[in-house]
């Protein structure tokens, strides 16, 4: 058990105890990459994923836009 703790090293250090060169830069580059991906992900979520999820329950109702929605279940899909 003592050998396990003696050999265990932190992820940010080398054998000589100095921090790894570039670990802060790598972390910063990763954050910058996520920052560039965030607007594209937001657009996909708003214009693709949300409408798909919103339309699933609408398919179970008979709704013309003028009358109150009436639950018909899977009958909408049996007609097709």
């Amino acid at each position: 058990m003592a050998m396990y703790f003696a050999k265990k090293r932190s992820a940010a250090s080398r054998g000589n105890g100095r921090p790894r060169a570039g670990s802060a830069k790598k972390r910063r580059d990763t954050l910058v990459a996520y920052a560039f991906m965030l607007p594209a992900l937001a657009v996909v979520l708003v214009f693709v994923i949300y409408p798909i999820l919103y339309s699933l329950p609408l398919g179970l109702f008979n709704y013309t836009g003028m009358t109150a929605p009436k639950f018909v279940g899977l009958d909408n899909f049996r007609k097709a």
Side-chain angles (χ1 to χ4, degrees), residues 3-67:
M3 298 252 331
Y4 172 75
F5 290 112
K7 290 184 179 182
K8 186 176 176 183
R9 296 182 184 141
S10 70
S13 68
R14 292 185 183 173
N16 58 9
R18 294 186 308 189
R20 288 185 183 171
S23 64
K25 183 184 181 324
K26 187 181 279 190
R27 190 175 316 118
R28 185 175 148 266
D29 289 346
T30 302
L31 289 174
V32 168
Y34 283 130
F36 276 104
M37 289 188 296
L38 191 61
L41 179 63
V43 167
V44 169
L45 285 172
V46 168
F47 292 106
V48 176
I49 304 299
Y50 176 73
I52 289 172
L53 294 177
Y54 184 76
S55 69
L56 292 175
L58 287 178
L60 302 175
F61 287 88
N62 186 10
Y63 182 60
T64 61
M66 300 299 287
T67 61

Side-chain angles (χ1 to χ4, degrees), residues 58-63 70 72-80:
L58 287 178
L60 302 175
F61 287 88
N62 186 10
Y63 182 60
K70 178 184 171 194
V72 292
L74 295 176
D75 287 342
N76 283 341
F77 300 101
R78 288 190 197 131
K79 292 177 186 177

